[in-house]
Amino acid sequence: MQLNVQDLLRSGAEITDQALERLLPSPDTLPHSIHRAMRHSTFAGGKRLRPILAMEAARMTAGTGEIPAGAADLGAAIEMLHTYSLIHDDLPALDNDDLRRGKPTCHVAFGEAIAILAGDALQTLAFQTIASLPTPPATTVAILREISLAVGTGVGPNSPLPPGMIGGQVVDIESEGKQPTAELVESIHRAKTGALITTSIVSGGLYGIASHSASENTIERLRTFGEKAGLAFQIVDDVLDMTQSSEELGKTAGKDTASVKATWPAIYGIDQSRKDAAELIADAFAALEPFGQQADALKALANYLVERKH
Amino acid sequence: MQLNVQDLLRSGAEITDQALERLLPSPDTLPHSIHRAMRHSTFAGGKRLRPILAMEAARMTAGTGEIPAGAADLGAAIEMLHTYSLIHDDLPALDNDDLRRGKPTCHVAFGEAIAILAGDALQTLAFQTIASLPTPPATTVAILREISLAVGTGVGPNSPLPPGMIGGQVVDIESEGKQPTAELVESIHRAKTGALITTSIVSGGLYGIASHSASENTIERLRTFGEKAGLAFQIVDDVLDMTQSSEELGKTAGKDTASVKATWPAIYGIDQSRKDAAELIADAFAALEPFGQQADALKALANYLVERKH
C-alpha cells in the first residue's frame, strides 16, 4: 500500500461525515432547535482526527487491510463526544469563546440553554451509537468501558481513575492565572486532550480485533502509542497557538498565553517543546514496532499531527 | 410478603445510597471541586424513586422474591442521570433555580462552570456504571440502548425517536409563555419525566430476566406500566405544585403557574387531573395483571406516587 496521509485524512473525514449525517437526527426532527444546534457544531469543519485514528487502529488490528464495516460509527461516536466537550468549553461560564473554526460557537448561534442541552444530547447520542455497534456484545461493553472512562473526571498521576476529559477541563479552568508547573501541564494535557485521543486508538483496536483472538499486549501497545502521540499533538497545538496568527488557526491565537494558561512552551520554551514532541512520536512509533507495515497508516497520521501548521 | 410501601422506600433508598456512595469518587479525589459538586447534588435528599422502581422491577422479573445482586448499581446509574438533568435544569440559562430540596443548587454552591461539568460527569459516570454491571454482555448492551434512548432528544407522537429526557426539557423551555395545548403537555411529560421513569422499570426488568428466558411481552408490559405510572406521577406533581405551599414542597411552589408553564391542571383543572392520574394508575395496574403477587411491590410504589402529598 502506497500511503498518502492526505488521502487517508480526506477519505477518513468523508466516511466519518457520512456516518454523522446518518446518526444525527435530521434538522427537521422536532424539537428543531436542539437538532440544528447539534448539527451546527458537529459539521463546523472539524478534521475528524479522532475518528480517523479509531478507524485506522481498527484496520490495523483487523489485519485485513480494510477498515472493518461499521467502524465509522465508532468514530462518529467519538467525534460526538469531542464536539460536546467543545460546545460546553466555549460557554460563557467556561472559556467564553464566540468563534470556533471561524464560525459562531453553539451558544452564540442558538443561545446558552440550547447549547448546554445540545452538548448533553451529543454525549447521550454517542452512547446510543455505541449501544448499536455491530460488534459482539462483550466487545461493545469493553468499548463502552474504555470510552466512558476516557471522558470522565480522572486526572493526575495519583488519581484512582484513568485520565479523563472532564477532569482535565476542570484542572485547566482552576489553574488559570496560577504559575503552571511541568507536572500540572502534563496532567492537564494527558486528561483533557490525551485521554480521548488514546481511547480513539484503543477502542478502534478493540473494534478491529472483535472477531479475532488478540492479546492484551496489542491493546497495551495501542494505549502507549495513543498516550505518546496524544501528548505530542497537544504540545504542537500549544506551540502553534504561540507562533501562528489567528487567521491561520481559525481561532483567537495567543489566547492561552494572554491568560497565563498552562501550556508546554510556557514551561519549556518553543524549541524544547518541538524536540519533546518529536521524541514522543519516536516513542509512539516504537510501541507499534511488532505490527510492521500494518502500522504505517497510524504512524503517518501521528507524523501529520506533529508536522501540521494549523 | 406483607407489603409496606414505607419500608420499601426506606430500604430501597438505603441500598441506593450505599451504591452511590461506593460509585461516586470520594470528595478527596482530585480535582476536589467537581467530585464535591457531584456529591452535593447526588446526596441532596432525593427519594430515589427511580432506582427503587428499577430494583423492584428486577425483583419481579427475577421471580425469586429478592432484588438481584448488583441491581442497586443500575439504580444508582439512573439516579446519576436524574441528578445530572436537575443540575443542568437549575442553571441560570435554563430554569435559574437557587434552591432544590431546600438546599443551594449546584451552581450556587460551586459556580456555573463546575456545575455544568459536574452534570456532564454524572452523565458519564452513569454510563461507566452501566459498563461495569455484572449482567451478561448482551443484557448490558440492551440496558445501555434502553437507557441512552430514554435520556435523548425524542419528543412527541411523530418523532422518529422514542420520548427522551433532553427532548422534553427543550420543548418545556421553548413552550414557556405560550398557551399550552393538551397534546403539548402530554408530549413534554412523556419525554421530560416519563421516559426516565419508564426506562427505570424496563431496564430493571431487563436486569432481572438476564439469566432467565423472558418473552418480549414481559418488557412491553413493563413499558406500558412505566408510561402510565410515569405520566400519572407528573400529573400529581403538577397538581401538588398548584395546591401546596413552598414549605411543604421544599421548592418554590406555584412557579409553573406564574410563568404559564405547560402543566396538566392548567389544561384540565385540578379535579379532572386527579381523576386522570387515578385512571392512568388503573391502566398501569392492568398491564401487570399476569404477574400476580410478584407485581405487588411495583403496584404499591405506583400508588404511593399518586397519593403522596409532597
Side-chain angles (χ1 to χ4, degrees), chain B residues 129-291:
Chain B
T129 302
I130 291 168
S132 297
L133 291 178
T135 34
T139 304
T140 303
V141 172
I143 288 172
L144 172 65
R145 183 176 301 128
E146 173 67 34
I147 292 180
S148 62
L149 283 166
V151 295
T153 59
V155 77
N158 300 317
S159 173
L161 305 161
M165 187 175 76
I166 302 172
Q169 174 65 8
V170 173
V171 178
D172 194 24
I173 292 172
E174 296 187 343
S175 66
E176 244 176 282
K178 294 184 198 153
Q179 193 57 42
T181 66
E183 197 192 0
L184 178 74
V185 172
E186 188 167 336
S187 276
I188 294 173
H189 284 1
R190 281 192 190 280
K192 188 179 174 184
T193 332
L196 194 59
I197 288 179
T198 302
T199 212
S200 301
I201 294 160
V202 171
S203 64
L206 287 166
Y207 194 99
I209 61 183
S211 49
H212 298 62
S213 62
S215 62
E216 265 302 296
N217 194 260
T218 296
I219 293 304
E220 282 321 303
R221 285 186 173 274
L222 282 171
R223 196 178 302 281
T224 302
F225 174 78
E227 285 171 1
K228 305 278 184 192
L231 186 52
F233 171 73
Q234 186 59 49
I235 292 172
V236 170
D237 216 51
D238 287 353
V239 169
L240 288 173
D241 188 73
M242 287 184 74
T243 57
Q244 306 266 311
S245 70
S246 299
E247 204 180 325
E248 284 171 293
L249 288 172
K251 62 181 180 183
T252 320
K255 201 179 168 201
D256 291 349
T257 337
S259 56
V260 199
K261 273 222 170 186
T263 73
W264 206 269
I267 307 272
Y268 297 104
I270 287 174
D271 287 350
Q272 186 61 42
S273 295
R274 285 183 171 139
K275 278 182 203 157
D276 290 343
E279 202 167 302
L280 282 161
I281 288 296
D283 291 349
F285 281 16
L288 296 189
E289 200 269 323
F291 300 100

Side-chain angles (χ1 to χ4, degrees), chain A residues 123-140:
Chain A
Q123 178 171 194
T124 302
L125 187 60
F127 289 112
Q128 283 177 20
T129 301
I130 291 168
S132 296
L133 291 178
T135 33
T139 303
T140 304

